[in-house]
Amino acid sequence: MAEMEDEEIFFEDIPFEMFSDAPGEGEGEQTLAELEQKLQKRPVTPPIPETVNLTPVSSQPVVVEDYIRNYLRHMRMYETLDKFQTEWYATAHDSTTDPVVDAYAQIRDLQDQVLRLKEEIQTKVEFAEKASALFEKLRKERDFHKMHHRRVVEEKNKLIRDMKRLVKHNANYEPALREMKQRYESAMKDKMLIKLERDKFMNRVEILEETLRQLQSQPTTTKDQSSLAQQILAKSPLQQQGQTRLLQHTAASKQKLVKPKKKLTEKEQRQAELKKASKPLLNMRVSDQQPDYVEPATKAAQFKAQKTFQAHQLAITSVCLHPSKDICVTTSDDTTWKMWSLPNGELIMSGEGHRDWVARASFHPGGLKLATASGDCTVKLWDFATAACEATLSTHSAAVFSVSYHESGDYLASCSMDNTIRIYDANTAQEALTLRGHVDSVNDICFLPQSTLIGSCSSDKTVSLWDVRTGQCVQTFVGHANSCNRIASPIQSDALASSDADGIVELWDIRTVQQRGKFNCGESPANGVSFDGSGQILSVGCDDGSIKIINIEEEIAAFANSFAATSLQTALSTQTRTLQHTQQPTVPVISQMLTGHNDQVLDVLFEKGNRYLLSTSADRSFKFWC
């Protein structure tokens, strides 16, 4: 309806006078006269007048002797015939000197002319009858079509009047619909904020429970405080809040456990917060918790597109998942990012602020913040609690292609077309380190889980591994023949997968610093790459609109068997000393794929539990596969 409101539609009734009769379709009398006039102009034999002035038959030399001879022979007057011939040729009679009018020949000519004229008259009579019947038929058809045309014009004018009335009626509902849409978006935003506040509250409750347990274990805690702590731990979180405040009030009144803090000035508080937030890179926290075992997504090749969401006005460049909830964020070339609930695809929140396309987004590990990279050379930090942009980082001098949060949430990395990788302190929004080494645009980065390493891929056809604590390049992997587009790491942090513009995906083993596998996704570029939760299945989004599903172990085993067979053939050829040329083994094209997008697939992402797969495309939609 908004689109109909933007486009001004003009409707106008059609008068009957605009639809004039076709040429030659006047009233009956006039049309008949015109038809007769056309018939008269046809190049046919002119009609026979009432008085026919026939031209006299020209005198022709008539052979009278033949007539007489034939007559005498017919009458069997042979003597007379002989005498006639003798006298006729004896006198050498010349017929031209004494012409005899052949009335019989003249009569025959006149009879032939009369017969010809009668045939012509009969033909013209038949033509006139057919023309009259055709004219009558055309007149009836003209009257029928004219009546039908008038009825169509009346119906069209009626529809135009109804359309004008509906447009006018719709204009009255448009403000209400717009207001309802705003209310819906506001309600979804409030719902999301309430969920985030609930999670924050539950975290506080857990902290308070731990504090109460510590109070119980301390010898200086009184019996009343201990019993009160037990009651609080046995109640619901909402009741815990009130009882915890009561416990804090009791402890403060007795001044046994809580010591009064010195009141600081506003400047001292700001310095203390800054000092507390700033953490050196050498002391970067790394989780030592082992990841949970997840069954491999072996049935990913049989996933079906359950839902398709038309999310943006332009191509959707990437998708990222919330760390703990079924919520995703999509970024687009229309300069916005949007947050959706899964699997229903309800819009929760949208962010507008970038001046150019948004390339990638990354959730804070706590789930309360988001970082986005854009073609306007900036990185923006968004806070869900305030539903606004918290900070804008403008340290890059060219378009920013990707961002990635460290698992601790204290640091953020970004890569750009200016050939650099920059590390920021996420708490102070200040740049902490710049990594230089690539000689071309850095297209993607990712922090390796449970480590201080960060992987990067570049248009210089290399994949690099950096240690953020020292700012040094640990290893550079060389093997791609074209620009590297995306990079991904499994949750086990033992490998890196990189895709390039030739449709090749290479798997690198970080422990042995070697190429572990090579996969061919076809002739079209490979854009997005993602590991499943087990690290054994790889999904790749390609320019041909397909998503290739790679079972790493099976594909490596198949390639190894092919390579061994080729090596054996080469060895046998050498032993038999035969001149046989053996080609190098080629990587077969991946056959398992998911199809459904109408344009190139720009990004793919497995859910960490392998329950579903998300994909984004240049057809302005993202799909939910499971």
Side-chain angles (χ1 to χ4, degrees):
M1 295 184 180
E3 294 180 357
M4 292 182 65
E5 183 180 5
D6 296 337
E7 299 179 0
E8 296 184 1
I9 304 176
F10 298 96
F11 303 99
E12 185 177 356
D13 294 342
I14 302 175
F16 291 108
E17 291 75 8
M18 294 180 62
F19 302 93
S20 60
D21 296 331
E25 293 188 1
E27 298 299 330
E29 300 288 340
Q30 183 179 358
T31 306
L32 184 59
E34 292 178 359
L35 183 59
E36 291 177 353
Q37 185 178 1
K38 289 183 178 181
L39 290 174
Q40 291 177 0
K41 293 180 179 181
R42 291 175 60 88
V44 297
T45 306
I48 302 175
E50 296 179 359
T51 304
V52 182
N53 298 323
L54 298 175
T55 59
V57 179
S58 60
S59 299
Q60 298 290 338
V62 182
V63 184
V64 182
E65 63 274 17
D66 291 339
Y67 175 76
I68 295 174
R69 278 195 294 272
N70 292 333
Y71 178 76
L72 292 176
R73 188 180 292 108
H74 178 70
M75 297 301 294
R76 296 182 178 180
M77 298 172 67
Y78 297 111
E79 294 180 358
T80 307
L81 177 61
D82 293 339
K83 190 170 182 64
F84 170 75
Q85 290 179 351
T86 302
E87 291 178 355
W88 182 268
Y89 287 108
T91 57
H93 183 75
D94 188 2
S95 61
T96 58
T97 60
D98 187 12
V100 179
V101 177
D102 191 356
Y104 178 76
Q106 187 176 4
I107 290 171
R108 290 293 299 273
D109 292 339
L110 291 175
Q111 288 179 349
D112 293 341
Q113 188 175 2
V114 169
L115 290 175
R116 187 176 66 255
L117 292 176
K118 285 183 178 180
E119 291 178 357
E120 291 180 358
I121 290 173
Q122 184 64 26
T123 303
K124 291 187 177 181
V125 168
E126 293 177 356
F127 177 76
E129 291 177 354
K130 291 182 180 179
S132 177
L134 180 61
F135 171 75
E136 186 67 20
K137 180 181 178 183
L138 292 176
R139 186 178 63 81
K140 291 181 179 179
E141 290 182 356
R142 182 206 61 184
D143 295 340
F144 173 77
H145 288 299
K146 184 180 292 186
M147 178 183 65
H148 182 68
H149 172 71
R150 290 179 180 274
R151 181 175 61 82
V152 170
V153 170
E154 290 177 358
E155 292 180 356
K156 183 175 182 179
N157 291 335
K158 181 181 178 182
L159 291 175
I160 290 174
R161 290 192 296 271
D162 293 342
M163 182 65 72
K164 289 181 179 179
R165 186 171 65 253
L166 289 174
V167 170
K168 186 177 180 181
H169 187 66
N170 178 57
N172 298 329
Y173 284 99
E174 193 66 28
L177 292 174
R178 193 181 300 111
E179 183 179 359
M180 291 178 63
K181 183 178 179 181
Q182 293 176 354
R183 289 181 179 179
Y184 172 76
E185 293 179 353
S186 177
M188 295 303 299
K189 187 184 297 183
D190 293 341
K191 180 181 177 181
M192 181 60 188
L193 294 177
I194 289 173
K195 289 182 179 179
L196 296 175
E197 289 294 333
R198 183 191 64 185
D199 295 341
K200 188 188 298 184
F201 175 70
M202 295 300 295
N203 293 333
R204 291 179 180 176
V205 168
E206 292 177 358
I207 295 174
L208 291 175
E209 288 179 353
E210 185 65 26
T211 304
L212 291 176
R213 292 190 182 92
Q214 292 178 1
L215 289 174
Q216 280 185 309
S217 61
Q218 291 181 3
T220 55
T221 305
T222 62
K223 294 182 179 180
D224 296 336
Q225 292 175 343
S226 178
S227 60
L228 184 58
Q230 292 177 357
Q231 294 177 5
I232 293 175
L233 292 174
K235 293 182 179 180
S236 63
L238 292 177
Q239 294 175 344
Q240 289 179 19
Q241 187 177 11
Q243 296 293 344
T244 303
R245 290 178 180 175
L246 179 61
L247 179 62
Q248 291 176 352
H249 178 71
T250 304
S253 62
K254 294 184 178 181
Q255 296 181 358
K256 291 183 179 180
L257 299 177
V258 180
K259 296 182 181 180
K261 295 183 179 180
K262 181 181 178 181
K263 188 174 181 180
L264 302 177
T265 62
E266 183 178 356
K267 183 177 180 181
E268 291 175 347
Q269 289 179 355
R270 190 182 302 109
Q271 291 178 353
E273 292 177 357
L274 186 61
K275 183 177 180 180
K276 181 180 179 180
S278 180
K279 297 174 182 173
L281 294 178
L282 292 175
N283 297 330
M284 180 181 291
R285 293 184 291 114
V286 177
S287 174
D288 55 355
Q289 182 179 1
Q290 294 297 325
D292 297 333
Y293 175 76
V294 179
E295 290 290 338
T298 54
K299 297 183 179 180
Q302 284 76 41
F303 278 177
K304 303 295 182 182
Q306 302 298 329
K307 291 185 179 180
T308 300
F309 307 102
Q310 295 294 330
H312 290 270
Q313 298 178 0
L314 293 177
I316 304 179
T317 55
S318 70
V319 61
C320 66
L321 279 168
H322 192 276
S324 58
K325 299 182 180 298
D326 287 334
I327 295 174
C328 72
V329 166
T330 57
T331 61
S332 171
D333 285 345
D334 61 5
T335 72
T336 65
W337 60 267
K338 294 184 179 181
M339 183 184 295
W340 312 85
S341 65
L342 297 175
N344 296 326
E346 298 177 351
L347 180 62
I348 299 175
M349 188 182 300
S350 62
E352 299 178 358
H354 284 291
R355 299 187 304 275
D356 208 338
W357 42 265
V358 184
R360 294 295 294 265
S362 177
F363 270 105
H364 188 278
L368 301 178
K369 295 182 180 181
L370 182 77
T372 56
S374 171
D376 59 7
C377 310
T378 64
V379 175
K380 288 184 178 291
L381 306 181
W382 308 82
D383 190 351
F384 299 147
T386 59
C389 178
E390 183 182 37
T392 299
L393 310 177
S394 304
T395 56
H396 286 287
S397 59
V400 186
F401 285 141
S402 182
V403 289
S404 177
Y405 267 107
H406 187 259
E407 62 179 5
S408 65
D410 297 330
Y411 296 97
L412 174 71
S414 65
C415 65
S416 168
M417 193 185 292
D418 61 7
N419 309 347
T420 64
I421 303 170
R422 298 182 187 270
I423 311 298
Y424 305 93
D425 190 325
N427 299 306
T428 61
Q430 299 294 325
E431 182 180 353
L433 182 64
T434 300
L435 305 178
R436 304 179 187 274
H438 286 291
V439 296
D440 206 339
S441 171
V442 185
N443 298 327
D444 196 16
I445 54 172
C446 70
F447 272 107
L448 273 64
Q450 302 176 349
S451 70
T452 60
L453 301 177
I454 185 170
S456 65
C457 65
S458 170
S459 294
D460 61 8
K461 311 174 186 178
T462 64
V463 176
S464 295
L465 198 62
W466 310 78
D467 190 339
V468 180
R469 293 173 299 179
T470 61
Q472 300 295 324
C473 179
V474 177
Q475 184 63 43
T476 298
F477 301 96
V478 179
H480 285 284
N482 208 332
S483 173
C484 299
N485 299 327
R486 288 291 172 87
I487 190 173
S489 174
I491 194 170
Q492 294 80 7
S493 302
D494 59 349
L496 280 176
S498 57
S499 61
D500 64 17
D502 288 335
I504 301 297
V505 177
E506 303 225 12
L507 186 65
W508 311 95
D509 193 328
I510 296 178
R511 293 167 298 185
T512 61
V513 196
Q514 292 180 355
Q515 184 190 65
R516 183 179 168 190
K518 184 176 182 180
F519 314 106
N520 186 3
C521 296
E523 298 179 356
S524 57
N527 299 320
V529 58
S530 173
F531 282 96
D532 73 333
S534 67
Q536 300 180 21
I537 306 296
L538 201 61
S539 61
V540 184
C542 302
D543 260 14
D544 58 3
S546 66
I547 302 171
K548 303 295 171 49
I549 304 299
I550 303 173
N551 191 320
I552 296 175
E553 300 300 332
E554 291 181 359
E555 294 295 335
I556 292 177
F559 178 72
N561 293 335
S562 174
F563 183 79
T566 306
S567 302
L568 179 60
Q569 184 178 1
T570 304
L572 292 175
S573 301
T574 304
Q575 291 178 0
T576 55
R577 297 181 181 179
T578 57
L579 298 176
Q580 181 179 0
H581 176 68
T582 304
Q583 297 181 353
Q584 292 295 329
T586 57
V587 183
V589 180
I590 301 300
S591 59
Q592 292 184 329
M593 67 177 71
L594 304 176
T595 57
H597 283 289
N598 299 326
D599 207 337
Q600 55 188 356
V601 180
L602 300 179
D603 196 14
V604 289
L605 182 62
F606 268 112
E607 190 266 337
K608 61 182 180 181
N610 297 340
R611 293 179 297 161
Y612 53 83
L613 174 71
L614 298 176
S615 64
T616 65
S617 171
D619 60 8
R620 300 176 294 178
S621 70
F622 75 94
K623 289 182 180 292
F624 180 85
W625 308 79
C626 67

